[in-house]
Amino acid sequence: MDKGFKLNFNKQLVKYIRLILIGVLLVMEILVCAQYTPVYLVKHDTAMLVSIVACCLVLAAFETVSSFAVKSFAGKMIFFAVESALLLAICVLTGNSYLSTMYCIVLTQYYLSVDEAKSNTILFIVSCGLYIVSYVIGWVAVNKGASLMQSIVQILGDCILGVFILGVHFAIINFLLAFYSNNKQLRNALKEADESKAQLKEVYEQLSQTAVFEERNRIAKDIHDNAGHSMTTVIMQTEAAKLLIDSDPEEAKNRIISANIQAKSALEQMRHSVHLLAGRKQNRPLREEIEEIIAQTIDGTELKIRCDLEDVTVGSEEALYLCNSVKECLANGIRHGRATAFYIELKEVFSNVSLLISDNGSGAEGELHEGFGLKGMREKAEAFGGRCDFSSEAGEGFEVEITLPQKKDKE
């Protein structure tokens, strides 16, 4: 048995149990009075009969008051002492009739009032002592002429039986109390677990929505920064081509080619963003993506692009960044360096992915100044934990080398 259980009964249930106990006690008292009424009427000993009835009524009254009016532990113990004295008086007057049963009824009410098994155990031990005293006094009072040996045997046997009954009653009642208490605690724990589960689910949904909003904001920013920049460049290049188409057709052609690459890049970026918003991911290998970019760039032009591409595996965001970097380098080489040939290399170096893009353009004179596109490429590479290096000399073309740690999307 759990020695540390705490009782936390439903008040209405306790009320019904106490009413039932009082009812059973009244029935037992009626049986006692009914048993001894004919005896004392025959003897014309109405005083004894009145005493028995009075003790029974006072015991029932004290049990009722103790059950419903007395709240403090000390008060209940005072009432228990008085009720024990009344049980002793009934025992003396009747010769121990139903004594153990009446003790069980009275004790049940006090077991319900005490909130610890330890206290109930102390109350049980005290009650056993009071029962033995009551029984011995009552038996001696009623059987004054019995022999010593008969008295010892009778008293010892009945005391053992009575204590056994009280012990069985104590074990059953406290087992039921502990079972009820533990069952209620379990129900409360399950209820709290369900409430916690509901709260965690709500928090998880809120976090999921927050993550979705953050991802959408990031995608919107990418569209604004990358696609918006590309479309602005397209407009500028086509406007410049219109002005140069008569005076410098070759330069106008280069401007149109550059604008075409930028337009395709912007379209591809927007498609990718739409796929992300729809929850779909690109499944094509990075090598095929870059080959597609090369094919689109040289389509209808005289550009020469040589490539050496290995099958490497990177995360979806890294793959998008590398593809956009290829497009940016091709557009910059054509627009600024008037390049006609490019070399693109993609390979895995130890645990890193390396992307090299070089052209045969005019290169940069003096100190290299990073524009919007080059600065964005470098900062993005650093955000992935890698690096982006630029090298160029006048008349020697332009070279970009990107190195990223190899990461894969989680399954």
Side-chain angles (χ1 to χ4, degrees), residues 28-238:
M28 296 302 302
E29 291 175 339
I30 291 172
L31 289 176
V32 171
C33 293
Q35 180 181 1
Y36 287 93
T37 296
V39 175
Y40 288 113
L41 286 178
V42 171
K43 294 180 178 181
H44 301 287
D45 192 352
T46 55
M48 292 291 290
L49 180 60
V50 171
S51 298
I52 294 173
V53 174
C55 287
C56 289
L57 291 176
V58 174
L59 177 62
F62 268 77
E63 181 72 5
T64 303
V65 173
S66 174
S67 297
F68 297 102
V70 180
K71 302 299 181 181
S72 67
F73 178 77
K76 285 186 176 293
M77 290 302 98
I78 293 174
F79 271 72
F80 177 70
V82 175
E83 290 177 24
S84 297
L86 290 170
L87 286 171
L88 173 60
I90 293 173
C91 180
V92 171
L93 293 172
T94 63
N96 310 310
S97 296
Y98 308 108
L99 179 62
S100 60
T101 304
M102 296 178 74
Y103 255 103
C104 289
I105 295 171
V106 171
L107 283 172
T108 302
Q109 190 272 127
Y110 286 98
Y111 287 154
L112 291 175
S113 302
V114 181
D115 64 351
E116 287 184 350
K118 181 179 178 181
S119 299
N120 279 347
T121 303
I122 296 174
L123 184 61
F124 162 72
I125 295 173
V126 172
S127 299
C128 287
L130 292 174
Y131 168 80
I132 293 173
V133 171
S134 300
Y135 183 86
V136 171
I137 294 175
W139 197 93
V140 171
V142 175
N143 302 278
K144 295 179 180 179
S147 65
L148 180 61
M149 182 59 66
Q150 180 186 0
S151 299
I152 293 174
V153 172
Q154 186 70 35
I155 291 173
L156 184 61
D158 288 348
C159 284
I160 292 175
L161 178 61
V163 171
F164 175 76
I165 293 173
L166 292 177
V168 171
H169 168 263
F170 168 79
I172 293 174
I173 294 298
N174 281 271
F175 172 79
L176 293 176
L177 295 180
F179 177 80
Y180 178 88
S181 178
N182 292 334
N183 184 59
K184 188 165 186 178
Q185 290 176 5
L186 179 60
R187 291 200 306 270
N188 291 336
L190 290 175
K191 182 179 179 181
E192 292 176 359
D194 290 338
E195 292 175 352
S196 299
K197 180 180 178 182
Q199 292 175 355
L200 288 174
K201 184 178 180 181
E202 183 180 352
V203 172
Y204 174 78
E205 290 176 352
Q206 292 176 352
L207 290 175
S208 299
Q209 292 177 358
T210 301
V212 170
F213 291 147
E214 290 178 350
E215 180 65 9
R216 287 179 177 176
N217 288 336
R218 186 190 66 79
I219 293 171
K221 186 176 184 301
D222 285 344
I223 293 175
H224 178 271
D225 293 344
N226 298 324
H229 168 69
S230 297
M231 296 307 298
T232 301
T233 304
V234 168
I235 294 172
M236 294 175 60
Q237 293 298 324
T238 53

Side-chain angles (χ1 to χ4, degrees), residues 223 227-228 231 263 265-276:
I223 293 175
M231 296 307 298
S265 175
L267 178 61
E268 189 65 25
Q269 290 170 7
M270 286 189 285
R271 283 176 177 171
H272 179 80
S273 298
V274 170
H275 289 163
L276 289 178

Side-chain angles (χ1 to χ4, degrees), residues 284-313:
R284 278 203 306 179
L286 177 58
R287 177 180 59 81
E288 294 183 11
E289 293 283 350
I290 295 177
E291 288 176 347
E292 179 68 19
I293 294 171
I294 294 172
Q296 291 178 358
T297 303
I298 64 177
D299 183 30
T301 70
E302 296 180 357
L303 291 174
K304 304 296 182 182
I305 300 179
R306 186 167 61 90
C307 60
D308 183 9
L309 307 175
E310 296 181 2
D311 282 315
V312 298
T313 304

